[in-house]
């Protein structure tokens, strides 16, 4: 399978994972169980990653002890990132949440510039301005109704997206460092493994009374699906990076997921309110991301 097919597969599966998270988050019984939802999905994400290991190569077990604190820190950061992303999607629809989620790219570029000494280029700065414009436009234009509740939900959704973006920037910078010191198979076993462990530990410590939700067959099926689509999407991205040797181009194409989420949200979730405004916001965000990562 060529890298172009792999990166398009990544875009589709990650978009589908956003739709599933929004579907689960719309249920009031699950909206407050963010750590439980995250833990359940991460278990199946890691298991799906293990199933795909034959495609990724051999495992170096020495990296676990060599970079243990990097794994632990990254696991906690990614677990909290996913919790914040899920919380954002309990307040806003899938399309709006995905547009807000593009803040991840903004914080990633900024964090890499600060910690990995990757200079911020003129193109990245220009793309960041366009991306911020898309988010501001979406915040102002996507108010379903001019009510106190709708305004509160929109601001809460944006607030959790900001938290997720900040955490993701730190997490992905750490991940990039780790991938420079090991192969992808080792990272999936130990990197994803620690993310799963951190997610499970947080659920047990912070939401023990809601663990009973995992016994519900309906929710469990969706968590299995969520973990698998995220795992397959993540593995497809790793493979596309390896085979293309062009991370920037892969990142640009992968962000086509924004448009896919808008379309799937309208079709599967019936979230069609202000569809033209959502499409405009999504296209503007996509342009901003393309400018940021194009070289």
């Amino acid at each position: 399978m060529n890298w172009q097919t792999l990166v398009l597969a990544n875009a589709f599966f990650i978009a589908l994972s956003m739709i599933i998270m929004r579907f689960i988050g719309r249920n009031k019984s699950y909206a407050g169980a963010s750590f439980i939802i995250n833990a359940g999905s991460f278990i199946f994400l890691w298991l799906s990653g293990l199933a795909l290991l034959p495609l990724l190569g051999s495992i170096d077990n020495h990296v676990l002890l060599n970079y243990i604190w990097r794994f632990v820190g990254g696991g906690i950061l990614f677990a909290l990132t996913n919790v914040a992303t899920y919380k954002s999607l309990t307040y806003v629809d899938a399309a709006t949440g995905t547009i807000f989620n593009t803040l991840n790219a903004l914080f990633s570029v900024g964090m890499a510039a600060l910690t990995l000494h990757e200079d911020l280029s003129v193109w990245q700065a220009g793309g960041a301005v366009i991306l911020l414009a898309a988010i501001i436009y979406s915040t102002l234009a996507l108010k379903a109704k001019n009510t106190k509740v709708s305004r509160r939900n929109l601001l809460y959704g944006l607030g959790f997206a900001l938290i997720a973006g900040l955490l993701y920037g730190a997490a992905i910078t750490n991940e990039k460092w780790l991938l420079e010191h090991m192969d992808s198979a080792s990272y999936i076993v130990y990197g994803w493994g620690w993310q799963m462990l951190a997610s499970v530990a947080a659920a047990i410590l912070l939401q023990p009374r809601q663990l009973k939700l995992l016994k519900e067959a309906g929710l469990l099926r969706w968590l299995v699906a969520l973990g698998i689509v995220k795992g397959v999407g993540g593995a497809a991205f790793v493979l596309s990076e390896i085979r293309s040797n062009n991370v920037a181009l892969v990142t640009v194409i992968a962000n086509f997921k924004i448009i896919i989420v808008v379309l799937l949200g309208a079709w599967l979730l019936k979230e069609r309110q202000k569809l033209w405004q959502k499409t405009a916001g999504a296209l503007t965000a996509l342009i901003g991301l393309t400018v940021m990562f194009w070289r």
Side-chain angles (χ1 to χ4, degrees), residues 218-229:
L219 176 60
L220 190 59
R221 283 195 294 269
W222 282 113
L223 291 180
V224 171
L226 179 58
I228 290 174
V229 297

Side-chain angles (χ1 to χ4, degrees), residues 12-206:
F12 174 77
F13 282 111
I14 297 303
L16 192 56
S17 75
M18 296 294 285
I19 295 296
I20 295 173
M21 279 196 289
R22 171 59 180 165
F23 177 79
I24 297 172
R26 290 198 307 186
N27 188 320
K28 293 182 180 180
S29 300
Y30 308 142
S34 53
F35 288 95
I36 302 300
I37 301 300
N38 184 56
S41 65
F42 253 114
I43 290 171
F44 296 106
L45 182 152
W46 186 59
L47 291 175
S48 64
L50 295 182
L52 294 169
L53 282 179
L55 300 174
L56 300 173
S58 60
I59 303 165
D60 179 8
N61 293 312
H62 293 95
V63 300
L64 177 59
L65 291 178
N66 292 340
Y67 308 117
I68 183 65
W69 293 113
R70 288 270 183 177
F71 285 127
V72 172
I76 294 170
L77 286 169
F78 270 116
L80 294 176
T81 296
N82 281 275
V83 167
T85 300
Y86 175 77
K87 288 297 294 182
S88 179
L89 287 167
T90 64
Y91 288 105
V92 296
D93 61 41
T96 308
T98 304
I99 294 170
F100 287 168
N101 188 246
T102 58
L103 284 165
N104 287 4
L106 194 62
F107 281 106
S108 299
V109 170
M111 200 72 72
L114 289 173
T115 60
L116 299 179
H117 308 293
E118 296 182 357
D119 294 333
L120 189 66
S121 68
V122 175
W123 283 101
Q124 287 174 326
V129 171
I130 297 171
L131 187 58
L132 284 172
I135 293 168
I136 292 170
Y137 166 78
S138 299
T139 304
L140 296 174
L142 297 181
K143 292 179 182 178
K145 295 179 182 179
N146 191 22
T147 65
K148 184 178 180 179
V149 173
S150 66
R151 290 194 299 270
R152 183 206 65 184
N153 287 347
L154 198 63
L155 290 176
Y156 279 3
L158 179 58
F160 278 111
L162 282 167
I163 294 170
L166 182 60
L167 291 166
Y168 180 84
I172 202 68
T173 301
N174 181 65
E175 179 180 82
K176 184 175 181 181
W177 188 94
L178 284 168
L179 285 171
E180 289 173 353
H181 292 79
M182 66 189 70
D183 54 43
S184 55
S186 299
Y187 181 75
I188 283 179
V189 171
Y190 296 115
W192 287 16
W194 275 100
Q195 292 170 33
M196 182 269 294
L197 288 174
S199 299
V200 171
I204 294 171
L205 292 172
L206 300 175

Side-chain angles (χ1 to χ4, degrees), residues 200-246:
V200 171
I204 294 171
L205 292 172
L206 300 175
Q207 294 182 329
R209 293 182 179 180
Q210 293 173 296
L211 287 170
K212 60 185 179 181
L213 292 175
L214 295 176
K215 296 180 180 179
E216 296 184 14
L219 176 60
L220 190 59
R221 283 195 294 269
W222 282 113
L223 291 180
V224 171
L226 179 58
I228 290 174
V229 297
K230 289 177 72 173
V232 173
F237 187 81
V238 170
L239 284 172
S240 64
E241 285 183 302
I242 294 170
R243 295 185 183 182
S244 70
N245 198 30
N246 190 330

Side-chain angles (χ1 to χ4, degrees), residues 264-278:
L264 288 180
W267 176 37
L268 298 176
L269 301 179
K270 313 299 181 186
E271 295 179 340
R272 297 166 184 164
Q273 197 166 38
K274 297 199 173 183
L275 186 58
W276 288 110
Q277 289 90 331
K278 292 175 187 176

Side-chain angles (χ1 to χ4, degrees), residues 254-268:
N255 277 294
F256 186 68
K257 69 177 183 288
I258 305 170
I259 305 301
I260 299 175
V261 170
V262 173
L263 297 175
L264 288 180
W267 176 37
L268 298 176

